[in-house]
Amino acid sequence: MSNAHVSSLTAKHAEIEARINDEQRRPLPDMNVVALLKKQKLRLKEAIATG
């Protein structure tokens, strides 16, 4: 995988991390949204690791 692609995946990973943190700081976080975001983050992490 090219450095540009890995950089793009890393940026998306950081964006999802920020969205997870924002959701968890809400007074009543939607745990379904958090779970979905965490799954997306894990898929990106795996893609980065294989790249």
Side-chain angles (χ1 to χ4, degrees), residues 19-20 23-24 29-39:
R19 290 175 59 196
I20 290 169
E23 185 64 34
Q24 289 178 330
D30 185 338
M31 295 313 291
N32 291 325
V33 170
V34 172
L36 178 65
L37 290 170
K38 285 184 176 186
K39 286 179 186 177

Side-chain angles (χ1 to χ4, degrees), residues 32-49:
N32 291 325
V33 170
V34 172
L36 178 65
L37 290 170
K38 285 184 176 186
K39 286 179 186 177
Q40 290 175 359
K41 183 180 158 192
L42 179 60
R43 278 189 232 114
L44 283 172
K45 183 178 178 181
E46 290 170 349
I48 292 166

Side-chain angles (χ1 to χ4, degrees), residues 13-32:
H13 185 272
E15 179 183 321
I16 290 173
E17 178 70 23
R19 290 175 59 196
I20 290 169
N21 290 336
D22 289 345
E23 185 64 34
Q24 289 178 330
R25 282 191 225 116
R26 291 180 49 204
L28 293 171
D30 185 338
M31 295 313 291
N32 291 325

